[in-house]
Amino acid sequence: MNVLGCKWVYKTKLNVDGTVKRHKARLVAKGYHQVDGIDFEETFSTIVKDTTIRCVLSLALSNKWNMRQLDASNAFLHGHLKENVYMEQPPGYFDPEHPTHNSERMIMLVYMDAIILVGTSDSLLTSFITYFKSEFAMKDLGSLHYFLGIEANFDLSANKVRLTQNKYSVDLLIKHEMLGCKPCRTPVAYGPRVSSYDGELLKDAASYRSLVGGIQYLTLTRPDISFAVNYVSQFMHSPTDIHLHLAKRILKYNKGSLGQGIILGSGTCSELIAYCDSDWADCLDTRKYTSGYCIFVGGLVSWSSKKQHTISRFSTEVEYRGLANAAAKVLWLSYLFEELSVYLSLLCRVYCDNLGIGSLTENPIFHARTKHIKVDYHMIRDLVTSGFLKVSYIHTLSQIADLFTKGLSKSQFDMLKDKLMHVVHASVRGGVLD
């Protein structure tokens, strides 16, 4: 037999205010000598998408549902069977005489050992948790307040929740010795981009990658830094001192905007509105473009800033491809809400700042500048024709998605950020900062 070694792993779990919650000790096997395909097959953990979390929270707030939070003990011990197992529906689950007798609803979100429950009544959640704890070692953490490093601060009078990462932000500043840094007013400077070859190579590239990796997690509640994070992530392979300055600027901006996050529950979960934009040939090294979008359903639930893989000859093609990416996400969200038995009112609206795009989505004729675009991008026309999607023009100065494609001036950045996030300032808990 191939005998594996083992070791103890110790960890101190902290509360949101920084106090010690408990000390954990776990005995683990030293599995780093195992070979894929010989010692083990596919590894998989159930992880809910962060977009799904925001959608469900927004839905629960819109319908004034209750929310609870759980934590699974020894989650990795509950493995899955490799075989497919089929069984009949248990007797008593469905009553033919009263098919709508149980009208209560409950949704469970699972991210490894962290669990969020939302439901139409607190008694339903309590009964489920009681049964759940009888089958698994489970801790009831009470009302939703702190999960995955995200703080949930509820305003019950307005039926809204503010999601922030204050503790994580402060810890990140402390880790990289920037707690006393001078705050910066924007996450990225307005003006030309830098190249991969600008500056002198760092002797310790690992520290740069650690910094950028830490900042990436902040984008769960800080869409305003998404473009900047995407920007500095493009230099991971060979970072220079200039790239490090760009990454530290994001932390400086974060220092000056502690307590900011996104607010869910600002609208009903019946209407979907999206904004999309693209910046043409902005990469100095490859001349590839960056596209971005943001989507609102009862609040901001999804956003993206991404450097695309293709090079385009015309700005119209760039905008059209960016619109296709946003439309695909809108379609996916409609499927998600349909699975949750929530049906969005049509049309779903997408706003872009290119006048020609709206005509292009409705015109079946392939023009000279668009005939080389791949067929899959023309799925937008099908969505428009079917009455699912409506593409509308919006002025460039009001295009919220500009935040995800380029560096902006301070005034323009602040104006669009307020529209995007509905920012509320809050103090940092834990006694580190006021």
Side-chain angles (χ1 to χ4, degrees):
M1 297 294 295
N2 179 23
V3 180
L4 300 176
C6 63
K7 64 178 180 179
W8 286 101
V9 176
Y10 301 98
K11 185 175 181 180
T12 302
K13 299 208 69 174
L14 303 177
N15 294 307
V16 64
D17 59 0
T19 59
V20 176
K21 184 177 182 180
R22 67 179 181 273
H23 298 281
K24 294 184 63 176
R26 183 168 66 244
L27 184 66
V28 299
K30 294 182 178 179
Y32 42 78
H33 293 303
Q34 293 179 302
V35 180
D36 184 8
I38 299 178
D39 300 295
F40 67 94
E41 301 295 337
E42 179 184 5
T43 59
F44 175 77
S45 295
T46 53
I47 295 179
V48 64
K49 287 180 176 287
D50 56 285
T51 297
T52 304
I53 293 175
R54 291 187 287 267
C55 286
V56 172
L57 292 182
S58 184
L59 175 63
L61 288 164
S62 177
N63 291 278
K64 297 183 179 180
W65 291 350
N66 297 282
M67 303 185 196
R68 299 283 288 275
Q69 182 177 349
L70 304 174
D71 183 70
S73 300
N74 303 323
F76 294 99
L77 299 182
H78 306 299
H80 295 280
L81 294 174
K82 294 182 178 180
E83 302 82 7
N84 292 325
V85 178
Y86 298 89
M87 59 176 288
E88 292 183 353
Q89 185 168 272
Y93 182 80
F94 176 74
D95 188 348
E97 297 182 1
H98 305 283
T100 60
H101 181 70
N102 185 0
S103 60
E104 302 289 349
R105 297 178 60 194
M106 182 175 62
I107 302 171
M108 181 168 68
L109 305 174
V110 179
Y111 194 102
M112 297 180 70
D113 61 341
I115 299 172
I116 298 176
L117 284 178
V118 304
T120 53
S121 70
D122 193 59
S123 59
L124 173 64
L125 300 184
T126 300
S127 62
F128 177 80
I129 291 173
T130 301
Y131 172 76
F132 212 39
K133 292 172 67 175
S134 68
E135 296 291 326
F136 304 97
M138 194 73 59
K139 292 181 287 291
D140 185 355
L141 303 181
S143 299
L144 180 64
H145 59 282
Y146 185 67
F147 66 101
L148 305 178
I150 300 174
E151 300 167 42
N153 301 292
F154 287 86
D155 182 353
L156 299 180
S157 61
N159 203 39
K160 296 180 181 180
V161 62
R162 176 166 43 87
L163 302 181
T164 62
Q165 292 171 279
N166 294 327
K167 182 180 182 301
Y168 179 79
S169 298
V170 174
D171 290 343
L172 199 60
L173 289 167
I174 295 174
K175 177 182 178 181
H176 296 281
E177 301 179 348
M178 294 189 64
L179 187 60
C181 68
K182 183 179 179 180
C184 193
R185 303 181 70 182
T186 59
V188 62
Y190 175 67
R193 306 275 185 93
V194 302
S195 168
S196 298
Y197 307 102
D198 292 340
E200 298 182 1
L201 290 176
L202 294 177
K203 295 181 180 180
D204 183 14
S207 61
Y208 176 86
R209 294 166 186 147
S210 175
L211 170 60
V212 175
I215 299 174
Q216 283 179 344
Y217 194 70
L218 273 177
T219 59
L220 288 178
T221 61
R222 296 298 300 269
D224 51 331
I225 65 171
S226 293
F227 169 72
V229 173
N230 171 57
Y231 186 20
V232 298
S233 297
Q234 297 173 24
F235 310 119
M236 291 284 226
H237 61 291
S238 185
T240 68
D241 56 341
I242 292 180
H243 304 148
L244 180 61
H245 176 74
L246 295 175
K248 287 186 174 181
R249 181 189 176 101
I250 302 176
L251 278 186
K252 292 179 181 179
Y253 168 75
N254 182 53
K255 166 69 179 300
S257 57
L258 288 171
Q260 296 185 4
I262 60 172
I263 293 182
L264 299 178
S266 56
T268 61
C269 287
S270 60
E271 185 179 26
L272 189 151
I273 300 175
Y275 298 81
C276 68
D277 192 30
S278 296
D279 198 22
W280 184 32
D282 51 1
C283 178
L284 297 180
D285 302 316
T286 64
R287 289 303 174 186
K288 294 179 180 179
Y289 65 98
T290 299
S291 65
Y293 62 77
C294 53
I295 304 175
F296 297 83
V297 187
L300 179 62
V301 298
S302 182
W303 57 87
S304 172
S305 177
K306 185 177 181 181
K307 178 181 176 182
Q308 300 301 319
H309 302 293
T310 58
I311 300 177
S312 301
R313 296 175 57 199
F314 307 105
S315 60
T316 301
E317 178 186 354
V318 169
E319 296 280 1
Y320 194 64
R321 291 178 185 270
L323 175 60
N325 293 333
K329 191 67 173 186
V330 168
L331 186 61
W332 180 84
L333 285 172
S334 71
Y335 291 153
L336 172 63
F337 278 97
E338 185 177 344
E339 290 184 9
L340 298 174
S341 299
V342 176
Y343 299 93
L344 302 173
S345 60
L346 302 178
L347 301 167
C348 296
R349 291 180 288 166
V350 180
Y351 292 96
C352 59
D353 57 6
N354 187 299
L355 283 170
I357 293 299
S359 301
L360 188 60
T361 58
E362 299 175 355
N363 191 342
I365 299 176
F366 285 78
H367 298 283
R369 291 191 174 187
T370 60
K371 63 182 180 181
H372 59 283
I373 300 178
K374 291 182 179 180
V375 176
D376 58 339
Y377 289 103
H378 293 295
M379 48 86 73
I380 303 174
R381 291 176 179 169
D382 295 333
L383 297 178
V384 172
T385 303
S386 65
F388 173 81
L389 198 67
K390 174 65 177 178
V391 180
S392 303
Y393 171 77
I394 189 171
H395 195 277
T396 301
L397 295 179
S398 301
Q399 175 56 276
I400 301 178
D402 260 2
L403 282 168
F404 301 97
T405 62
K406 60 178 74 70
L408 301 172
S409 64
K410 176 64 170 63
S411 58
Q412 182 72 358
F413 179 83
D414 286 343
M415 186 269 289
L416 295 180
K417 184 184 73 170
D418 289 343
K419 289 186 176 182
L420 178 75
M421 298 172 58
H422 302 282
V423 173
V424 175
H425 293 273
S427 61
V428 178
R429 292 181 289 178
V432 179
L433 291 175
D434 293 327

